[in-house]
Amino acid sequence: MFQSLMRGTAAVSLAVILAGCSTSGSGPSTGGSLFSSNATAPVSGANTANAPAASGGAVVQGTCPQISLRDGTAYYRTYAKPGSKDPQDVVFQASLAETTRACTQNESTMTVKVQVAGRLVAGPQGHAGSLSLPIRVAVMNGDTVVSSQLVPFTANLASADQPAQFLFTHEVSIAANPSTSTQIFVGFDEGPPKAAAKPKKHK
């Protein structure tokens, strides 16, 4: 039941949080590893905005890279018991949902303001408190990883009885006038699986 509830809350629209941003990204896409160098991600509906030059020579034009979430990286759970995957042991669950971005560029650099709306809820073992979330932002140009950065982010839950919404914001700098195959992926990164402790040998 807890898992069903979590899937439902992840789908709730967070348009109010995202209001005011210039362009909208896509939701979760399917398949592949988010951060491997051989990940593939076809671009669909890349936005092209033509606007007059802003102050300081910055412009909002050209192709603004699409923001995507991948299945398997949009959820992050903590458990009361180390190594447990039992839904009844969940302390916190965070989820990422809707994405948006705003792009500005000068002659050499495009700055992408990445924003992702998320939700934090308490599990059966949950309580009010703060949770540090490991969020990775990766820029891909076709099959090539252009950059990959792990960005620590803290979300707060005021009450175990009430979900909390949060807005992750991070700026990425890339070369000006990126190709239509350039895409930005955002997702939770728990790192490599921890090796199981080896039993001690008794002499």
Side-chain angles (χ1 to χ4, degrees), residues 41-59:
V43 173
S44 60
N47 285 6
T48 301
N50 295 312
S55 59
V59 294

PDB file of all heavy atoms in Angstrom, residues 41-59:
ATOM      1  N   ALA A  41      19.865   8.838 -25.502  1.00  0.00           N
ATOM      2  CA  ALA A  41      18.659   9.577 -25.161  1.00  0.00           C
ATOM      3  C   ALA A  41      18.231  10.419 -26.341  1.00  0.00           C
ATOM      4  O   ALA A  41      18.750  11.498 -26.567  1.00  0.00           O
ATOM      5  CB  ALA A  41      18.926  10.480 -23.951  1.00  0.00           C
ATOM      6  N   PRO A  42      17.293   9.918 -27.136  1.00  0.00           N
ATOM      7  CA  PRO A  42      16.847  10.706 -28.289  1.00  0.00           C
ATOM      8  C   PRO A  42      16.162  11.981 -27.855  1.00  0.00           C
ATOM      9  O   PRO A  42      15.395  11.979 -26.909  1.00  0.00           O
ATOM     10  CB  PRO A  42      15.857   9.760 -28.992  1.00  0.00           C
ATOM     11  CG  PRO A  42      15.409   8.825 -27.928  1.00  0.00           C
ATOM     12  CD  PRO A  42      16.585   8.653 -27.017  1.00  0.00           C
ATOM     13  N   VAL A  43      16.447  13.052 -28.543  1.00  0.00           N
ATOM     14  CA  VAL A  43      15.818  14.337 -28.241  1.00  0.00           C
ATOM     15  C   VAL A  43      14.474  14.403 -28.920  1.00  0.00           C
ATOM     16  O   VAL A  43      14.345  14.046 -30.084  1.00  0.00           O
ATOM     17  CB  VAL A  43      16.720  15.494 -28.735  1.00  0.00           C
ATOM     18  CG1 VAL A  43      15.993  16.818 -28.581  1.00  0.00           C
ATOM     19  CG2 VAL A  43      18.023  15.513 -27.965  1.00  0.00           C
ATOM     20  N   SER A  44      13.473  14.847 -28.192  1.00  0.00           N
ATOM     21  CA  SER A  44      12.161  15.041 -28.803  1.00  0.00           C
ATOM     22  C   SER A  44      11.643  16.398 -28.386  1.00  0.00           C
ATOM     23  O   SER A  44      11.628  16.727 -27.219  1.00  0.00           O
ATOM     24  CB  SER A  44      11.187  13.949 -28.339  1.00  0.00           C
ATOM     25  OG  SER A  44      11.039  13.977 -26.939  1.00  0.00           O
ATOM     26  N   GLY A  45      11.236  17.174 -29.349  1.00  0.00           N
ATOM     27  CA  GLY A  45      10.634  18.472 -29.039  1.00  0.00           C
ATOM     28  C   GLY A  45      11.597  19.467 -28.447  1.00  0.00           C
ATOM     29  O   GLY A  45      11.226  20.212 -27.549  1.00  0.00           O
ATOM     30  N   ALA A  46      12.860  19.502 -28.881  1.00  0.00           N
ATOM     31  CA  ALA A  46      13.791  20.494 -28.370  1.00  0.00           C
ATOM     32  C   ALA A  46      13.277  21.885 -28.707  1.00  0.00           C
ATOM     33  O   ALA A  46      12.920  22.171 -29.834  1.00  0.00           O
ATOM     34  CB  ALA A  46      15.171  20.278 -28.997  1.00  0.00           C
ATOM     35  N   ASN A  47      13.273  22.762 -27.684  1.00  0.00           N
ATOM     36  CA  ASN A  47      12.682  24.079 -27.872  1.00  0.00           C
ATOM     37  C   ASN A  47      13.666  25.042 -28.518  1.00  0.00           C
ATOM     38  O   ASN A  47      14.840  25.056 -28.204  1.00  0.00           O
ATOM     39  CB  ASN A  47      12.237  24.657 -26.514  1.00  0.00           C
ATOM     40  CG  ASN A  47      10.984  23.989 -26.028  1.00  0.00           C
ATOM     41  OD1 ASN A  47      10.508  23.043 -26.628  1.00  0.00           O
ATOM     42  ND2 ASN A  47      10.447  24.477 -24.919  1.00  0.00           N
ATOM     43  N   THR A  48      13.178  25.871 -29.401  1.00  0.00           N
ATOM     44  CA  THR A  48      13.977  26.935 -29.997  1.00  0.00           C
ATOM     45  C   THR A  48      13.256  28.246 -29.763  1.00  0.00           C
ATOM     46  O   THR A  48      12.139  28.421 -30.226  1.00  0.00           O
ATOM     47  CB  THR A  48      14.168  26.713 -31.503  1.00  0.00           C
ATOM     48  OG1 THR A  48      14.816  25.460 -31.704  1.00  0.00           O
ATOM     49  CG2 THR A  48      15.008  27.819 -32.109  1.00  0.00           C
ATOM     50  N   ALA A  49      13.906  29.128 -29.007  1.00  0.00           N
ATOM     51  CA  ALA A  49      13.283  30.413 -28.686  1.00  0.00           C
ATOM     52  C   ALA A  49      14.077  31.517 -29.335  1.00  0.00           C
ATOM     53  O   ALA A  49      15.285  31.562 -29.231  1.00  0.00           O
ATOM     54  CB  ALA A  49      13.242  30.624 -27.168  1.00  0.00           C
ATOM     55  N   ASN A  50      13.404  32.439 -29.999  1.00  0.00           N
ATOM     56  CA  ASN A  50      14.054  33.590 -30.609  1.00  0.00           C
ATOM     57  C   ASN A  50      13.592  34.835 -29.884  1.00  0.00           C
ATOM     58  O   ASN A  50      12.431  35.218 -29.971  1.00  0.00           O
ATOM     59  CB  ASN A  50      13.708  33.685 -32.100  1.00  0.00           C
ATOM     60  CG  ASN A  50      14.265  32.498 -32.865  1.00  0.00           C
ATOM     61  OD1 ASN A  50      15.429  32.162 -32.691  1.00  0.00           O
ATOM     62  ND2 ASN A  50      13.448  31.871 -33.703  1.00  0.00           N
ATOM     63  N   ALA A  51      14.505  35.454 -29.147  1.00  0.00           N
ATOM     64  CA  ALA A  51      14.155  36.626 -28.362  1.00  0.00           C
ATOM     65  C   ALA A  51      15.197  37.697 -28.606  1.00  0.00           C
ATOM     66  O   ALA A  51      16.334  37.409 -28.970  1.00  0.00           O
ATOM     67  CB  ALA A  51      14.101  36.280 -26.866  1.00  0.00           C
ATOM     68  N   PRO A  52      14.848  38.966 -28.393  1.00  0.00           N
ATOM     69  CA  PRO A  52      15.822  40.028 -28.575  1.00  0.00           C
ATOM     70  C   PRO A  52      16.941  39.941 -27.553  1.00  0.00           C
ATOM     71  O   PRO A  52      16.795  39.324 -26.511  1.00  0.00           O
ATOM     72  CB  PRO A  52      14.978  41.313 -28.368  1.00  0.00           C
ATOM     73  CG  PRO A  52      13.805  40.859 -27.562  1.00  0.00           C
ATOM     74  CD  PRO A  52      13.523  39.468 -28.015  1.00  0.00           C
ATOM     75  N   ALA A  53      18.067  40.545 -27.846  1.00  0.00           N
ATOM     76  CA  ALA A  53      19.215  40.504 -26.948  1.00  0.00           C
ATOM     77  C   ALA A  53      18.860  41.148 -25.627  1.00  0.00           C
ATOM     78  O   ALA A  53      18.223  42.179 -25.555  1.00  0.00           O
ATOM     79  CB  ALA A  53      20.394  41.228 -27.591  1.00  0.00           C
ATOM     80  N   ALA A  54      19.307  40.487 -24.530  1.00  0.00           N
ATOM     81  CA  ALA A  54      19.074  41.027 -23.196  1.00  0.00           C
ATOM     82  C   ALA A  54      20.236  41.934 -22.818  1.00  0.00           C
ATOM     83  O   ALA A  54      21.208  42.073 -23.548  1.00  0.00           O
ATOM     84  CB  ALA A  54      18.928  39.884 -22.188  1.00  0.00           C
ATOM     85  N   SER A  55      20.143  42.575 -21.642  1.00  0.00           N
ATOM     86  CA  SER A  55      21.201  43.477 -21.203  1.00  0.00           C
ATOM     87  C   SER A  55      22.498  42.707 -21.015  1.00  0.00           C
ATOM     88  O   SER A  55      22.497  41.547 -20.643  1.00  0.00           O
ATOM     89  CB  SER A  55      20.781  44.133 -19.885  1.00  0.00           C
ATOM     90  OG  SER A  55      20.551  43.156 -18.893  1.00  0.00           O
ATOM     91  N   GLY A  56      23.623  43.356 -21.251  1.00  0.00           N
ATOM     92  CA  GLY A  56      24.916  42.727 -21.060  1.00  0.00           C
ATOM     93  C   GLY A  56      25.286  41.785 -22.174  1.00  0.00           C
ATOM     94  O   GLY A  56      26.249  41.035 -22.052  1.00  0.00           O
ATOM     95  N   GLY A  57      24.553  41.794 -23.277  1.00  0.00           N
ATOM     96  CA  GLY A  57      24.906  40.954 -24.408  1.00  0.00           C
ATOM     97  C   GLY A  57      24.350  39.551 -24.328  1.00  0.00           C
ATOM     98  O   GLY A  57      24.500  38.775 -25.259  1.00  0.00           O
ATOM     99  N   ALA A  58      23.697  39.172 -23.216  1.00  0.00           N
ATOM    100  CA  ALA A  58      23.135  37.828 -23.096  1.00  0.00           C
ATOM    101  C   ALA A  58      21.885  37.725 -23.963  1.00  0.00           C
ATOM    102  O   ALA A  58      21.146  38.685 -24.125  1.00  0.00           O
ATOM    103  CB  ALA A  58      22.789  37.522 -21.645  1.00  0.00           C
ATOM    104  N   VAL A  59      21.650  36.559 -24.520  1.00  0.00           N
ATOM    105  CA  VAL A  59      20.482  36.344 -25.349  1.00  0.00           C
ATOM    106  C   VAL A  59      19.789  35.060 -24.940  1.00  0.00           C
ATOM    107  O   VAL A  59      20.373  34.191 -24.332  1.00  0.00           O
ATOM    108  CB  VAL A  59      20.855  36.252 -26.848  1.00  0.00           C
ATOM    109  CG1 VAL A  59      21.394  37.581 -27.348  1.00  0.00           C
ATOM    110  CG2 VAL A  59      21.884  35.154 -27.090  1.00  0.00           C
TER     111      VAL A  59
END
